[in-house]
Amino acid sequence: MNAANSPVLEIRNASRVHGQGERAVQALADANLRINAGEFVAIMGPSGSGKSTLLHLAGGLDIPTCGQVLVEGTDLASLSIARRAVIRRQSVGYVFQDFNLLPALTAAENVAFPLELDGWQRKKARQAALASLEETGVAMLADRRPEDMSGGQAQRVAIARALVGPRRLLLADEPTGALDSATGTAILRLLREKADNGAAVLMVTHEARYAAWTDRTLFLRDGRIIDQSGPSDASELLAQGTA
Amino acid sequence: MSVKHALLALLSWKPSTMYQLRKAFDASTGETWPLNIGQVSTTLQRLERDGLVEQELAEAGEPEPWKLTAGGRAEVDAWWQSPVPRETPGRDELVIKLALAVTVPGVDVAALVQRQRSATLQVLHDITKARRGVEQADIAVRLVLDNHIFTTEAELRWLDDVEETLVRAQATATAGTTAPVQADRQGPTPAKTAKARSRR
Ligand SMILES: Nc1ncnc2c1ncn2[C@@H]1O[C@H](COP(=O)(O)OP(=O)(O)O)[C@@H](O)[C@H]1O
Ligand SMILES: [Mg+2]
């Protein structure tokens, strides 16, 4: 498998306008973005700058007014609503700021749920769920409900759910928003690991310290990607910059 | 940074040669302020002149290690006992540059802020990468790198704040009240126009 260099997500000249005429709001303007397998990208920008809109488009939760969004080479707009829902469930994992776990279900049931929706057998779905919980370091919470978890634990379960099955694109909208700094760092370590193991990860964050864990950071202003920043090639810059 | 006190502190741990001192200093600070051997040598000479260190007799052919005198030991103790004075806010080039940018007409302050933000975030990316590679047990290096992370982060927060202040000042200026601030963006982007319209 050519995991290293195929774009998992490609956004081409995508714009999203809400409403019409006088009341039109351009939430995103002419965005271009490519994320390969194994890449971890952050989006930063003031509130209202279009970060969530970009993530919604990437995840097929919304479609662009013009331009294209391709997930693993497939243009989402070319699909029927039903097909798009399948891609969303099978290829894309979504992590929300407030976790969005179903309160009546245990961790394992929460993680298995999208697989069962896809017609997986209950037993197979549970097996995959347990493997995913194991991977995110919360296997011991499998039979616990969200109300009996800390914020950091719930977010790990949400990430396990987002990545269960064969999904290779992980979208996270302020996944550390409600967490203390140590737990936030643990979540970043986990997302970084996911990327290092071949997932493409796109994360919205307000915190530069978390953005700094990624391979590059995009800056959004008024619906436009205006700039990007990432680590320098030579890390002796560290010595230069602080000597 | 006080190379003098750093060397005295290391010598209070154990007598060492110049090269051992340099190595120990670099190891404990994660090589973020690499010392050259010349610095170590001239500092030791000055400390010797002031009666704070002296050289031990070594076996034939071995370099002679330096050790503290009683005066040197007292100096180290006093150093541990006293807080490091907070330097008066100095001539930070970035602060001065931004103060000038909002004063001198015709400077694109928003673009300047963004260029700085991008460059500073790049440094934070680099430090974070280095920090990730540090062993859990290496507490000295971790705390040095964490300090860099905190200060770099503080600069980024300050830049966000500068930008917000400019946007607000501009909003009051265009609303026709007062405040001639030279925020001077290159006109509203189409996205902004659309949004501005929608707010009416
Ligand atoms: N469904 C919608 N209808 C109208 N305007 C919207 C809608 N969703 C988002 N917007 C507007 O689009 C802009 C970008 O929103 P969003 O992507 O949520 O920003 P962010 O996540 O960066 O805070 C904002 O001005 C927001 O008010
Ligand atoms: Mg948002």
PDB file of all heavy atoms in Angstrom, chain A residues 24 48 209 211-214 217 219 221-222 227-232 238 242, chain B residues 33 114 117-118 122 125-128 132 150 153 156 163 191-192 194-195:
ATOM      1  N   ALA A  24     -26.056  37.019   2.108  1.00  0.00           N
ATOM      2  CA  ALA A  24     -25.061  35.974   1.875  1.00  0.00           C
ATOM      3  C   ALA A  24     -23.871  36.104   2.835  1.00  0.00           C
ATOM      4  O   ALA A  24     -23.377  37.196   3.078  1.00  0.00           O
ATOM      5  CB  ALA A  24     -24.575  36.035   0.438  1.00  0.00           C
ATOM      6  N   GLY A  48     -15.332  32.310  13.810  1.00  0.00           N
ATOM      7  CA  GLY A  48     -16.059  32.798  12.648  1.00  0.00           C
ATOM      8  C   GLY A  48     -15.219  32.849  11.384  1.00  0.00           C
ATOM      9  O   GLY A  48     -15.680  33.295  10.335  1.00  0.00           O
ATOM     10  N   ARG A 209       0.202  25.799  21.318  1.00  0.00           N
ATOM     11  CA  ARG A 209       1.014  24.691  21.849  1.00  0.00           C
ATOM     12  C   ARG A 209       0.554  23.338  21.302  1.00  0.00           C
ATOM     13  O   ARG A 209       1.333  22.408  21.211  1.00  0.00           O
ATOM     14  CB  ARG A 209       1.020  24.684  23.369  1.00  0.00           C
ATOM     15  CG  ARG A 209      -0.332  24.419  23.990  1.00  0.00           C
ATOM     16  CD  ARG A 209      -0.170  24.025  25.439  1.00  0.00           C
ATOM     17  NE  ARG A 209       0.696  24.984  26.140  1.00  0.00           N
ATOM     18  CZ  ARG A 209       1.411  24.679  27.209  1.00  0.00           C
ATOM     19  NH1 ARG A 209       1.389  23.450  27.693  1.00  0.00           N
ATOM     20  NH2 ARG A 209       2.141  25.585  27.802  1.00  0.00           N
ATOM     21  N   ALA A 211      -1.151  23.132  18.206  1.00  0.00           N
ATOM     22  CA  ALA A 211      -0.865  23.221  16.767  1.00  0.00           C
ATOM     23  C   ALA A 211       0.582  22.816  16.497  1.00  0.00           C
ATOM     24  O   ALA A 211       0.901  22.230  15.460  1.00  0.00           O
ATOM     25  CB  ALA A 211      -1.135  24.629  16.257  1.00  0.00           C
ATOM     26  N   ALA A 212       1.457  23.117  17.461  1.00  0.00           N
ATOM     27  CA  ALA A 212       2.876  22.858  17.266  1.00  0.00           C
ATOM     28  C   ALA A 212       3.201  21.361  17.181  1.00  0.00           C
ATOM     29  O   ALA A 212       4.308  20.988  16.817  1.00  0.00           O
ATOM     30  CB  ALA A 212       3.690  23.506  18.389  1.00  0.00           C
ATOM     31  N   TRP A 213       2.254  20.509  17.511  1.00  0.00           N
ATOM     32  CA  TRP A 213       2.475  19.059  17.397  1.00  0.00           C
ATOM     33  C   TRP A 213       2.308  18.567  15.969  1.00  0.00           C
ATOM     34  O   TRP A 213       2.625  17.424  15.651  1.00  0.00           O
ATOM     35  CB  TRP A 213       1.475  18.298  18.271  1.00  0.00           C
ATOM     36  CG  TRP A 213       1.841  18.269  19.704  1.00  0.00           C
ATOM     37  CD1 TRP A 213       1.765  19.327  20.577  1.00  0.00           C
ATOM     38  CD2 TRP A 213       2.322  17.159  20.454  1.00  0.00           C
ATOM     39  NE1 TRP A 213       2.184  18.918  21.822  1.00  0.00           N
ATOM     40  CE2 TRP A 213       2.527  17.601  21.772  1.00  0.00           C
ATOM     41  CE3 TRP A 213       2.605  15.830  20.136  1.00  0.00           C
ATOM     42  CZ2 TRP A 213       3.007  16.764  22.782  1.00  0.00           C
ATOM     43  CZ3 TRP A 213       3.072  14.990  21.136  1.00  0.00           C
ATOM     44  CH2 TRP A 213       3.272  15.458  22.445  1.00  0.00           C
ATOM     45  N   THR A 214       1.766  19.393  15.085  1.00  0.00           N
ATOM     46  CA  THR A 214       1.419  18.927  13.743  1.00  0.00           C
ATOM     47  C   THR A 214       2.575  19.135  12.772  1.00  0.00           C
ATOM     48  O   THR A 214       3.612  19.689  13.127  1.00  0.00           O
ATOM     49  CB  THR A 214       0.183  19.683  13.218  1.00  0.00           C
ATOM     50  OG1 THR A 214       0.537  21.059  12.996  1.00  0.00           O
ATOM     51  CG2 THR A 214      -0.969  19.613  14.202  1.00  0.00           C
ATOM     52  N   THR A 217       0.622  24.134  10.067  1.00  0.00           N
ATOM     53  CA  THR A 217      -0.543  24.830  10.592  1.00  0.00           C
ATOM     54  C   THR A 217      -1.040  25.826   9.551  1.00  0.00           C
ATOM     55  O   THR A 217      -0.258  26.615   9.027  1.00  0.00           O
ATOM     56  CB  THR A 217      -0.168  25.592  11.878  1.00  0.00           C
ATOM     57  OG1 THR A 217       0.300  24.652  12.847  1.00  0.00           O
ATOM     58  CG2 THR A 217      -1.372  26.330  12.440  1.00  0.00           C
ATOM     59  N   PHE A 219      -3.488  29.025   8.574  1.00  0.00           N
ATOM     60  CA  PHE A 219      -4.174  30.140   9.219  1.00  0.00           C
ATOM     61  C   PHE A 219      -5.359  30.564   8.376  1.00  0.00           C
ATOM     62  O   PHE A 219      -5.209  30.836   7.183  1.00  0.00           O
ATOM     63  CB  PHE A 219      -3.231  31.326   9.381  1.00  0.00           C
ATOM     64  CG  PHE A 219      -2.072  31.050  10.297  1.00  0.00           C
ATOM     65  CD1 PHE A 219      -0.837  30.697   9.773  1.00  0.00           C
ATOM     66  CD2 PHE A 219      -2.224  31.132  11.669  1.00  0.00           C
ATOM     67  CE1 PHE A 219       0.237  30.438  10.606  1.00  0.00           C
ATOM     68  CE2 PHE A 219      -1.148  30.871  12.507  1.00  0.00           C
ATOM     69  CZ  PHE A 219       0.081  30.527  11.969  1.00  0.00           C
ATOM     70  N   ARG A 221      -8.466  33.324   7.855  1.00  0.00           N
ATOM     71  CA  ARG A 221      -8.981  34.651   8.204  1.00  0.00           C
ATOM     72  C   ARG A 221     -10.130  34.941   7.256  1.00  0.00           C
ATOM     73  O   ARG A 221      -9.951  34.854   6.038  1.00  0.00           O
ATOM     74  CB  ARG A 221      -7.930  35.749   7.971  1.00  0.00           C
ATOM     75  CG  ARG A 221      -6.846  35.825   8.994  1.00  0.00           C
ATOM     76  CD  ARG A 221      -7.352  36.373  10.314  1.00  0.00           C
ATOM     77  NE  ARG A 221      -6.279  36.410  11.296  1.00  0.00           N
ATOM     78  CZ  ARG A 221      -5.767  35.345  11.905  1.00  0.00           C
ATOM     79  NH1 ARG A 221      -6.212  34.152  11.635  1.00  0.00           N
ATOM     80  NH2 ARG A 221      -4.808  35.473  12.786  1.00  0.00           N
ATOM     81  N   ASP A 222     -11.272  35.294   7.792  1.00  0.00           N
ATOM     82  CA  ASP A 222     -12.402  35.669   6.940  1.00  0.00           C
ATOM     83  C   ASP A 222     -12.636  34.659   5.817  1.00  0.00           C
ATOM     84  O   ASP A 222     -12.861  35.033   4.672  1.00  0.00           O
ATOM     85  CB  ASP A 222     -12.168  37.062   6.331  1.00  0.00           C
ATOM     86  CG  ASP A 222     -11.998  38.121   7.399  1.00  0.00           C
ATOM     87  OD1 ASP A 222     -12.679  38.035   8.431  1.00  0.00           O
ATOM     88  OD2 ASP A 222     -11.162  39.029   7.209  1.00  0.00           O
ATOM     89  N   ASP A 227      -2.124  31.730   5.137  1.00  0.00           N
ATOM     90  CA  ASP A 227      -0.706  31.497   5.420  1.00  0.00           C
ATOM     91  C   ASP A 227      -0.571  30.101   6.015  1.00  0.00           C
ATOM     92  O   ASP A 227      -1.560  29.509   6.430  1.00  0.00           O
ATOM     93  CB  ASP A 227      -0.236  32.531   6.466  1.00  0.00           C
ATOM     94  CG  ASP A 227       1.285  32.697   6.493  1.00  0.00           C
ATOM     95  OD1 ASP A 227       1.969  32.040   5.689  1.00  0.00           O
ATOM     96  OD2 ASP A 227       1.772  33.476   7.317  1.00  0.00           O
ATOM     97  N   GLN A 228       0.629  29.580   6.035  1.00  0.00           N
ATOM     98  CA  GLN A 228       0.859  28.368   6.802  1.00  0.00           C
ATOM     99  C   GLN A 228       2.251  28.350   7.402  1.00  0.00           C
ATOM    100  O   GLN A 228       3.138  29.080   6.970  1.00  0.00           O
ATOM    101  CB  GLN A 228       0.599  27.114   5.978  1.00  0.00           C
ATOM    102  CG  GLN A 228       1.497  26.939   4.793  1.00  0.00           C
ATOM    103  CD  GLN A 228       1.280  25.546   4.196  1.00  0.00           C
ATOM    104  OE1 GLN A 228       1.514  24.541   4.844  1.00  0.00           O
ATOM    105  NE2 GLN A 228       0.825  25.494   2.963  1.00  0.00           N
ATOM    106  N   SER A 229       2.402  27.531   8.431  1.00  0.00           N
ATOM    107  CA  SER A 229       3.656  27.477   9.159  1.00  0.00           C
ATOM    108  C   SER A 229       3.894  26.040   9.608  1.00  0.00           C
ATOM    109  O   SER A 229       2.953  25.308   9.872  1.00  0.00           O
ATOM    110  CB  SER A 229       3.551  28.395  10.378  1.00  0.00           C
ATOM    111  OG  SER A 229       4.693  28.271  11.176  1.00  0.00           O
ATOM    112  N   GLY A 230       5.165  25.649   9.648  1.00  0.00           N
ATOM    113  CA  GLY A 230       5.471  24.291  10.107  1.00  0.00           C
ATOM    114  C   GLY A 230       6.876  24.246  10.621  1.00  0.00           C
ATOM    115  O   GLY A 230       7.559  25.262  10.634  1.00  0.00           O
ATOM    116  N   PRO A 231       7.324  23.074  11.064  1.00  0.00           N
ATOM    117  CA  PRO A 231       8.688  22.986  11.570  1.00  0.00           C
ATOM    118  C   PRO A 231       9.692  23.291  10.460  1.00  0.00           C
ATOM    119  O   PRO A 231       9.409  23.054   9.292  1.00  0.00           O
ATOM    120  CB  PRO A 231       8.805  21.540  12.044  1.00  0.00           C
ATOM    121  CG  PRO A 231       7.662  20.808  11.493  1.00  0.00           C
ATOM    122  CD  PRO A 231       6.635  21.793  11.069  1.00  0.00           C
ATOM    123  N   SER A 232      10.816  23.838  10.845  1.00  0.00           N
ATOM    124  CA  SER A 232      11.854  24.068   9.851  1.00  0.00           C
ATOM    125  C   SER A 232      12.561  22.748   9.606  1.00  0.00           C
ATOM    126  O   SER A 232      12.486  21.840  10.413  1.00  0.00           O
ATOM    127  CB  SER A 232      12.846  25.100  10.376  1.00  0.00           C
ATOM    128  OG  SER A 232      13.326  24.687  11.626  1.00  0.00           O
ATOM    129  N   LEU A 238      16.605  25.747  16.625  1.00  0.00           N
ATOM    130  CA  LEU A 238      16.303  25.807  18.049  1.00  0.00           C
ATOM    131  C   LEU A 238      17.442  26.482  18.803  1.00  0.00           C
ATOM    132  O   LEU A 238      17.225  27.387  19.591  1.00  0.00           O
ATOM    133  CB  LEU A 238      16.098  24.389  18.560  1.00  0.00           C
ATOM    134  CG  LEU A 238      15.757  24.238  20.032  1.00  0.00           C
ATOM    135  CD1 LEU A 238      14.479  24.966  20.367  1.00  0.00           C
ATOM    136  CD2 LEU A 238      15.640  22.776  20.377  1.00  0.00           C
ATOM    137  N   THR A 242      17.470  30.727  20.329  1.00  0.00           N
ATOM    138  CA  THR A 242      17.406  30.973  21.759  1.00  0.00           C
ATOM    139  C   THR A 242      18.761  31.265  22.380  1.00  0.00           C
ATOM    140  O   THR A 242      18.861  31.560  23.548  1.00  0.00           O
ATOM    141  CB  THR A 242      16.823  29.735  22.484  1.00  0.00           C
ATOM    142  OG1 THR A 242      17.565  28.604  22.071  1.00  0.00           O
ATOM    143  CG2 THR A 242      15.376  29.542  22.139  1.00  0.00           C
TER     144      THR A 242
ATOM    145  N   TRP B  33      21.949  26.550  24.979  1.00  0.00           N
ATOM    146  CA  TRP B  33      22.909  27.654  24.982  1.00  0.00           C
ATOM    147  C   TRP B  33      24.309  27.075  24.941  1.00  0.00           C
ATOM    148  O   TRP B  33      25.038  27.153  25.923  1.00  0.00           O
ATOM    149  CB  TRP B  33      22.792  28.490  26.265  1.00  0.00           C
ATOM    150  CG  TRP B  33      21.474  29.104  26.522  1.00  0.00           C
ATOM    151  CD1 TRP B  33      21.010  30.273  26.013  1.00  0.00           C
ATOM    152  CD2 TRP B  33      20.447  28.618  27.391  1.00  0.00           C
ATOM    153  NE1 TRP B  33      19.754  30.531  26.494  1.00  0.00           N
ATOM    154  CE2 TRP B  33      19.380  29.534  27.340  1.00  0.00           C
ATOM    155  CE3 TRP B  33      20.312  27.478  28.194  1.00  0.00           C
ATOM    156  CZ2 TRP B  33      18.213  29.365  28.059  1.00  0.00           C
ATOM    157  CZ3 TRP B  33      19.147  27.308  28.912  1.00  0.00           C
ATOM    158  CH2 TRP B  33      18.109  28.248  28.844  1.00  0.00           C
ATOM    159  N   GLN B 114       0.977  38.811  11.036  1.00  0.00           N
ATOM    160  CA  GLN B 114       0.842  37.438  10.542  1.00  0.00           C
ATOM    161  C   GLN B 114       2.202  36.826  10.210  1.00  0.00           C
ATOM    162  O   GLN B 114       2.453  35.667  10.507  1.00  0.00           O
ATOM    163  CB  GLN B 114      -0.092  37.389   9.328  1.00  0.00           C
ATOM    164  CG  GLN B 114      -0.241  35.998   8.715  1.00  0.00           C
ATOM    165  CD  GLN B 114      -0.679  34.934   9.728  1.00  0.00           C
ATOM    166  OE1 GLN B 114      -1.459  35.222  10.644  1.00  0.00           O
ATOM    167  NE2 GLN B 114      -0.174  33.717   9.595  1.00  0.00           N
ATOM    168  N   ARG B 117       3.704  35.880  13.437  1.00  0.00           N
ATOM    169  CA  ARG B 117       3.004  34.736  14.028  1.00  0.00           C
ATOM    170  C   ARG B 117       3.475  33.437  13.384  1.00  0.00           C
ATOM    171  O   ARG B 117       3.767  32.451  14.055  1.00  0.00           O
ATOM    172  CB  ARG B 117       1.502  34.913  13.829  1.00  0.00           C
ATOM    173  CG  ARG B 117       0.688  33.705  14.245  1.00  0.00           C
ATOM    174  CD  ARG B 117      -0.765  33.887  13.864  1.00  0.00           C
ATOM    175  NE  ARG B 117      -1.453  34.824  14.726  1.00  0.00           N
ATOM    176  CZ  ARG B 117      -2.147  35.862  14.309  1.00  0.00           C
ATOM    177  NH1 ARG B 117      -2.245  36.120  13.025  1.00  0.00           N
ATOM    178  NH2 ARG B 117      -2.766  36.645  15.156  1.00  0.00           N
ATOM    179  N   SER B 118       3.565  33.468  12.063  1.00  0.00           N
ATOM    180  CA  SER B 118       3.971  32.284  11.337  1.00  0.00           C
ATOM    181  C   SER B 118       5.405  31.880  11.710  1.00  0.00           C
ATOM    182  O   SER B 118       5.700  30.704  11.934  1.00  0.00           O
ATOM    183  CB  SER B 118       3.844  32.575   9.840  1.00  0.00           C
ATOM    184  OG  SER B 118       4.180  31.459   9.108  1.00  0.00           O
ATOM    185  N   GLN B 122       6.562  28.609  13.904  1.00  0.00           N
ATOM    186  CA  GLN B 122       7.550  27.665  13.377  1.00  0.00           C
ATOM    187  C   GLN B 122       8.558  27.286  14.461  1.00  0.00           C
ATOM    188  O   GLN B 122       8.914  26.120  14.623  1.00  0.00           O
ATOM    189  CB  GLN B 122       8.262  28.274  12.177  1.00  0.00           C
ATOM    190  CG  GLN B 122       9.306  27.325  11.605  1.00  0.00           C
ATOM    191  CD  GLN B 122      10.009  27.909  10.394  1.00  0.00           C
ATOM    192  OE1 GLN B 122       9.373  28.537   9.545  1.00  0.00           O
ATOM    193  NE2 GLN B 122      11.295  27.725  10.330  1.00  0.00           N
ATOM    194  N   HIS B 125       6.866  24.905  16.719  1.00  0.00           N
ATOM    195  CA  HIS B 125       6.862  23.575  16.102  1.00  0.00           C
ATOM    196  C   HIS B 125       8.192  22.872  16.383  1.00  0.00           C
ATOM    197  O   HIS B 125       8.228  21.706  16.763  1.00  0.00           O
ATOM    198  CB  HIS B 125       6.702  23.695  14.573  1.00  0.00           C
ATOM    199  CG  HIS B 125       5.286  23.686  14.070  1.00  0.00           C
ATOM    200  ND1 HIS B 125       4.534  22.543  13.987  1.00  0.00           N
ATOM    201  CD2 HIS B 125       4.492  24.671  13.612  1.00  0.00           C
ATOM    202  CE1 HIS B 125       3.333  22.832  13.478  1.00  0.00           C
ATOM    203  NE2 HIS B 125       3.279  24.125  13.249  1.00  0.00           N
ATOM    204  N   ASP B 126       9.287  23.606  16.177  1.00  0.00           N
ATOM    205  CA  ASP B 126      10.622  23.015  16.350  1.00  0.00           C
ATOM    206  C   ASP B 126      10.883  22.618  17.800  1.00  0.00           C
ATOM    207  O   ASP B 126      11.397  21.532  18.074  1.00  0.00           O
ATOM    208  CB  ASP B 126      11.705  23.999  15.888  1.00  0.00           C
ATOM    209  CG  ASP B 126      11.719  24.157  14.378  1.00  0.00           C
ATOM    210  OD1 ASP B 126      11.159  23.279  13.701  1.00  0.00           O
ATOM    211  OD2 ASP B 126      12.271  25.155  13.883  1.00  0.00           O
ATOM    212  N   ILE B 127      10.539  23.515  18.723  1.00  0.00           N
ATOM    213  CA  ILE B 127      10.785  23.209  20.136  1.00  0.00           C
ATOM    214  C   ILE B 127       9.951  22.001  20.546  1.00  0.00           C
ATOM    215  O   ILE B 127      10.418  21.113  21.259  1.00  0.00           O
ATOM    216  CB  ILE B 127      10.411  24.397  21.046  1.00  0.00           C
ATOM    217  CG1 ILE B 127      11.195  25.652  20.659  1.00  0.00           C
ATOM    218  CG2 ILE B 127      10.687  24.054  22.501  1.00  0.00           C
ATOM    219  CD1 ILE B 127      10.665  26.906  21.316  1.00  0.00           C
ATOM    220  N   THR B 128       8.694  21.983  20.080  1.00  0.00           N
ATOM    221  CA  THR B 128       7.800  20.892  20.459  1.00  0.00           C
ATOM    222  C   THR B 128       8.331  19.559  19.951  1.00  0.00           C
ATOM    223  O   THR B 128       8.256  18.542  20.626  1.00  0.00           O
ATOM    224  CB  THR B 128       6.385  21.161  19.916  1.00  0.00           C
ATOM    225  OG1 THR B 128       5.951  22.433  20.390  1.00  0.00           O
ATOM    226  CG2 THR B 128       5.403  20.103  20.379  1.00  0.00           C
ATOM    227  N   ARG B 132       9.386  16.463  22.290  1.00  0.00           N
ATOM    228  CA  ARG B 132       8.807  15.117  22.173  1.00  0.00           C
ATOM    229  C   ARG B 132       9.874  14.038  22.228  1.00  0.00           C
ATOM    230  O   ARG B 132       9.608  12.917  22.615  1.00  0.00           O
ATOM    231  CB  ARG B 132       8.029  14.970  20.857  1.00  0.00           C
ATOM    232  CG  ARG B 132       6.723  15.706  20.824  1.00  0.00           C
ATOM    233  CD  ARG B 132       5.721  15.017  19.896  1.00  0.00           C
ATOM    234  NE  ARG B 132       6.209  14.743  18.564  1.00  0.00           N
ATOM    235  CZ  ARG B 132       6.113  15.585  17.534  1.00  0.00           C
ATOM    236  NH1 ARG B 132       5.568  16.763  17.693  1.00  0.00           N
ATOM    237  NH2 ARG B 132       6.564  15.249  16.349  1.00  0.00           N
ATOM    238  N   PHE B 150       6.675  27.920  26.854  1.00  0.00           N
ATOM    239  CA  PHE B 150       5.833  28.934  27.504  1.00  0.00           C
ATOM    240  C   PHE B 150       6.104  30.336  26.956  1.00  0.00           C
ATOM    241  O   PHE B 150       5.184  31.094  26.688  1.00  0.00           O
ATOM    242  CB  PHE B 150       6.061  28.939  29.022  1.00  0.00           C
ATOM    243  CG  PHE B 150       5.294  27.865  29.738  1.00  0.00           C
ATOM    244  CD1 PHE B 150       5.938  26.784  30.312  1.00  0.00           C
ATOM    245  CD2 PHE B 150       3.908  27.932  29.845  1.00  0.00           C
ATOM    246  CE1 PHE B 150       5.228  25.786  30.968  1.00  0.00           C
ATOM    247  CE2 PHE B 150       3.184  26.949  30.500  1.00  0.00           C
ATOM    248  CZ  PHE B 150       3.851  25.867  31.064  1.00  0.00           C
ATOM    249  N   GLU B 153       4.843  30.648  23.352  1.00  0.00           N
ATOM    250  CA  GLU B 153       3.390  30.694  23.386  1.00  0.00           C
ATOM    251  C   GLU B 153       2.893  32.074  23.828  1.00  0.00           C
ATOM    252  O   GLU B 153       1.927  32.608  23.275  1.00  0.00           O
ATOM    253  CB  GLU B 153       2.924  29.650  24.404  1.00  0.00           C
ATOM    254  CG  GLU B 153       1.675  28.961  24.025  1.00  0.00           C
ATOM    255  CD  GLU B 153       1.204  28.039  25.134  1.00  0.00           C
ATOM    256  OE1 GLU B 153       1.858  27.942  26.203  1.00  0.00           O
ATOM    257  OE2 GLU B 153       0.172  27.418  24.930  1.00  0.00           O
ATOM    258  N   LEU B 156       2.949  34.436  21.011  1.00  0.00           N
ATOM    259  CA  LEU B 156       1.842  34.203  20.070  1.00  0.00           C
ATOM    260  C   LEU B 156       0.532  34.760  20.621  1.00  0.00           C
ATOM    261  O   LEU B 156      -0.264  35.353  19.895  1.00  0.00           O
ATOM    262  CB  LEU B 156       1.716  32.706  19.768  1.00  0.00           C
ATOM    263  CG  LEU B 156       2.823  32.156  18.870  1.00  0.00           C
ATOM    264  CD1 LEU B 156       2.882  30.639  18.924  1.00  0.00           C
ATOM    265  CD2 LEU B 156       2.614  32.622  17.424  1.00  0.00           C
ATOM    266  N   GLU B 163      -3.568  41.893  17.367  1.00  0.00           N
ATOM    267  CA  GLU B 163      -4.450  41.866  16.200  1.00  0.00           C
ATOM    268  C   GLU B 163      -5.884  42.225  16.584  1.00  0.00           C
ATOM    269  O   GLU B 163      -6.538  43.018  15.903  1.00  0.00           O
ATOM    270  CB  GLU B 163      -4.399  40.476  15.580  1.00  0.00           C
ATOM    271  CG  GLU B 163      -5.048  40.410  14.227  1.00  0.00           C
ATOM    272  CD  GLU B 163      -4.823  39.043  13.603  1.00  0.00           C
ATOM    273  OE1 GLU B 163      -5.311  38.049  14.170  1.00  0.00           O
ATOM    274  OE2 GLU B 163      -4.147  38.973  12.577  1.00  0.00           O
ATOM    275  N   ALA B 191     -14.716  38.061   1.195  1.00  0.00           N
ATOM    276  CA  ALA B 191     -15.386  37.346   2.282  1.00  0.00           C
ATOM    277  C   ALA B 191     -15.872  38.326   3.334  1.00  0.00           C
ATOM    278  O   ALA B 191     -16.978  38.229   3.837  1.00  0.00           O
ATOM    279  CB  ALA B 191     -14.422  36.347   2.904  1.00  0.00           C
ATOM    280  N   LYS B 192     -15.004  39.298   3.646  1.00  0.00           N
ATOM    281  CA  LYS B 192     -15.386  40.275   4.664  1.00  0.00           C
ATOM    282  C   LYS B 192     -16.565  41.118   4.208  1.00  0.00           C
ATOM    283  O   LYS B 192     -17.451  41.440   4.978  1.00  0.00           O
ATOM    284  CB  LYS B 192     -14.199  41.188   4.982  1.00  0.00           C
ATOM    285  CG  LYS B 192     -13.252  40.580   5.952  1.00  0.00           C
ATOM    286  CD  LYS B 192     -12.179  41.563   6.333  1.00  0.00           C
ATOM    287  CE  LYS B 192     -12.706  42.616   7.307  1.00  0.00           C
ATOM    288  NZ  LYS B 192     -11.628  43.533   7.691  1.00  0.00           N
ATOM    289  N   ALA B 194     -18.901  40.338   2.194  1.00  0.00           N
ATOM    290  CA  ALA B 194     -20.132  39.567   2.275  1.00  0.00           C
ATOM    291  C   ALA B 194     -20.638  39.532   3.711  1.00  0.00           C
ATOM    292  O   ALA B 194     -21.825  39.699   3.966  1.00  0.00           O
ATOM    293  CB  ALA B 194     -19.885  38.139   1.777  1.00  0.00           C
ATOM    294  N   LYS B 195     -19.674  39.357   4.647  1.00  0.00           N
ATOM    295  CA  LYS B 195     -20.110  39.246   6.033  1.00  0.00           C
ATOM    296  C   LYS B 195     -20.595  40.589   6.565  1.00  0.00           C
ATOM    297  O   LYS B 195     -21.591  40.674   7.247  1.00  0.00           O
ATOM    298  CB  LYS B 195     -18.963  38.737   6.889  1.00  0.00           C
ATOM    299  CG  LYS B 195     -19.353  37.452   7.562  1.00  0.00           C
ATOM    300  CD  LYS B 195     -18.339  37.022   8.560  1.00  0.00           C
ATOM    301  CE  LYS B 195     -17.045  36.624   7.902  1.00  0.00           C
ATOM    302  NZ  LYS B 195     -16.020  36.346   8.871  1.00  0.00           N
TER     303      LYS B 195
END
